[in-house]
Amino acid sequence: MGRPALFAAALAGSGLAAPGPAAGEGDPARGETLFRPCAACHMIGPGAVNRIGPHLNGILDRPIASVEGFAYSDAMSEAGAGGRAWDDTALDNFLAAPRNYVPGTAMVFRGVHDAGDRADLVAYMDAAGTPDAAPAADAAPSPEVAAILALDGDAAYGAYLSSECTACHAAGGSDIPAIDGLPPELFAAALVAYRDRSRDHQVMNTVTARLGDEEIAALTAHFASAD
């Protein structure tokens, strides 16, 4: 069975196919607050560009995996191969459980379990991300991330450090995603976002507070080469 067929099967069998709340049913102001963790990877609104994830301007009714210049995972590209778009229902279902809705997605996010929170997020993205708010464009990594990527990361040292990561991010995990093989720019940027607390997660904030640039470079090198 090819990936498009697997994607269709996942939609049918995931238990997530019920229609989600329409964007107009949510509270955009509350959604803006809920969006803060998303902002570690995604930009929205005037001046938005691609970062770790694609910009989210015009996300509602936008064809899946269609932002020009963004390097989508194979799973996400193939999910959009049939012209499927991010309508209210698709976006609600994806936000509920990204890795159930698009098996194999590189998006490292467990999902938003509360339907009201998802409705508020969708309402905010609809209000903030008008389709013409910004052109699609690639953004260079932040200077901090770029400096880490420029280091010659010691993969062997990263393997030594990795046990604390793999204690939770075991290969094939269904709730906490696997991180083997993540692109270096995505992996390093995520750790930096947790370290500077622009991305909020109690455990990850604590773990990354102990990491210097050399340690992040080593972990990046290790996980980029891991199968």
Side-chain angles (χ1 to χ4, degrees):
M1 184 183 293
R3 277 193 179 271
L6 284 171
F7 176 66
L11 299 188
S14 65
L16 298 174
E25 296 176 10
D27 178 354
R30 185 168 180 273
E32 182 174 11
T33 299
L34 293 168
F35 187 81
R36 287 173 185 168
C38 311
C41 296
H42 296 279
M43 293 183 71
I44 192 168
V49 295
N50 297 329
R51 297 179 69 190
I52 297 170
H55 75 76
L56 298 179
N57 288 340
I59 184 67
L60 275 173
D61 297 320
R62 186 172 83 191
I64 294 173
S66 64
V67 172
E68 183 179 352
F70 185 78
Y72 289 96
S73 65
D74 289 345
M76 189 63 75
S77 296
E78 291 168 16
R84 184 174 176 82
W86 291 120
D87 58 20
D88 288 327
T89 300
L91 196 53
D92 178 72
N93 288 341
F94 181 73
L95 289 171
R99 288 182 174 245
N100 285 351
Y101 196 70
V102 182
T105 179
M107 183 166 162
V108 183
F109 180 63
R110 296 174 64 176
V112 179
H113 300 301
D114 184 87
D117 288 350
R118 296 196 304 272
D120 294 343
L121 273 170
V122 173
Y124 169 68
M125 289 188 284
D126 186 38
T130 55
D132 57 351
D138 288 322
S142 70
E144 186 175 10
V145 173
I148 291 171
L149 293 173
L151 296 174
D152 186 14
D154 184 342
Y157 181 38
Y160 169 75
L161 295 171
S162 69
S163 60
E164 193 166 20
C165 305
T166 55
C168 294
H169 293 273
S174 59
D175 188 20
I176 300 176
I179 53 177
D180 291 349
L182 282 179
E185 62 276 10
L186 189 157
F187 187 90
L191 290 187
V192 168
Y194 285 124
R195 186 174 67 177
D196 67 19
R197 295 183 177 269
S198 62
R199 188 169 180 175
D200 185 43
H201 186 283
Q202 184 176 1
V203 173
M204 290 300 300
N205 295 150
T206 300
V207 169
T208 54
R210 305 194 295 266
L211 299 177
D213 288 358
E214 293 282 352
E215 284 76 20
I216 292 179
L219 285 166
T220 299
H222 167 67
F223 282 107
S225 62
D227 293 327

